Amino acid sequence: MDEYIGYIILGAVALLVIIILVTCIKTRNGFVVLRNRVRDQAAQVDVQLKRRYDLIPNLIATVREQAGFEKSTLEAVINARGRATQGGNISETLKANDELTGALHRLLAVAENYPTLQANSAFIKLQGELSETENKIAYARQFYNDTILKYNNAIQIFPASVIARMCGFLEQPFLSIKDAERENVLIRADSFKS
């Protein structure tokens, strides 16, 4: 009889160890899946940024055709594009792209002073494609942050957080906007005159 109780206790301990082991493996594999989703979303942001980089030389070439266009504005866009394409982690890449965004906005603002450029069909098409790409970048950044939220929640909730720490899964930062982008936009009435 004592022999059966010993086997039962041994079997129960073995079953408990197997359940704990399977739970740890399943939890770790879930973290791996989420980490890979984070990497995939970072790559999706890169795809949209690459599309943007590819549009810029065509935009510059179209703008250069206009005599007297501000050379410093074009150089600012070219230099910002060069810094943005150098790579790095996603935060560094997006910081460089924020500079590029500012340079592009200045370019498009200055372009408004050139009626022949505004009437150029290639410029209009490129401007539309650039606007569409900006929207895709914003969506990709939002989806990346949603994926980061899921990943961070998974590795921070107890008891999974213990397994995450043991396996080296670390919290990832969200992509954020610059303080300047949080400020209210000043809209002047003369902006709507044609």
Side-chain angles (χ1 to χ4, degrees):
M1 183 79 153
D2 289 338
E3 209 174 288
Y4 291 118
I5 293 176
Y7 287 132
I8 292 173
I9 292 173
L10 185 60
V13 169
L15 182 61
L16 184 61
V17 168
I18 289 171
I19 290 172
I20 291 172
L21 186 61
V22 167
T23 302
C24 288
I25 291 170
K26 184 177 177 185
T27 302
R28 185 194 178 284
N29 288 344
F31 295 152
V32 170
V33 168
L34 289 172
R35 181 181 60 197
N36 288 339
R37 285 186 185 155
V38 168
R39 290 176 180 166
D40 175 61
Q41 290 311 309
Q44 295 304 318
V45 172
D46 282 342
V47 165
Q48 296 308 322
L49 293 175
K50 170 82 169 91
R51 182 171 188 255
R52 179 194 212 192
Y53 303 151
D54 292 345
L55 287 171
I56 291 171
N58 294 330
L59 185 68
I60 300 269
T62 303
V63 170
R64 270 195 179 140
E65 292 174 5
Q66 301 300 314
F69 199 87
E70 285 82 354
K71 184 179 177 182
S72 63
T73 305
L74 289 175
E75 287 175 353
V77 172
I78 292 167
N79 293 335
R81 180 187 180 271
R83 284 188 298 278
T85 58
Q86 290 176 351
N89 66 36
I90 187 130
S91 296
E92 292 169 353
T93 300
L94 289 172
K95 182 179 178 187
N97 272 282
D98 289 341
E99 286 181 41
L100 179 56
T101 298
L104 283 172
H105 287 305
R106 285 189 299 279
L107 173 73
L108 295 175
V110 170
E112 291 176 6
N113 297 327
Y114 294 85
T116 56
L117 181 60
Q118 291 295 314
N120 183 312
S121 62
F123 179 77
I124 293 168
K125 181 180 178 209
L126 287 167
Q127 199 173 14
E129 286 182 35
L130 193 58
S131 177
E132 179 185 326
T133 301
E134 295 296 330
N135 290 335
K136 288 180 180 181
I137 290 169
Y139 177 76
R141 288 176 74 149
Q142 176 187 349
F143 201 75
Y144 175 84
N145 277 344
D146 291 344
T147 305
I148 289 288
L149 177 66
K150 289 175 187 171
Y151 172 79
N152 285 345
N153 284 343
I155 67 168
Q156 293 173 354
I157 295 173
F158 184 80
S161 61
V162 175
I163 297 168
R165 242 176 294 148
M166 289 183 339
C167 296
F169 290 93
L170 304 173
E171 184 178 345
Q172 297 295 313
F174 290 98
L175 299 179
S176 59
I177 61 171
K178 299 183 302 187
D179 287 338
E181 292 174 349
R182 294 176 195 264
E183 296 174 5
N184 290 332
V185 176
L186 176 64
I187 300 175
R188 298 186 331 239
D190 62 349
S191 301
F192 298 104
K193 294 179 183 173
S194 50

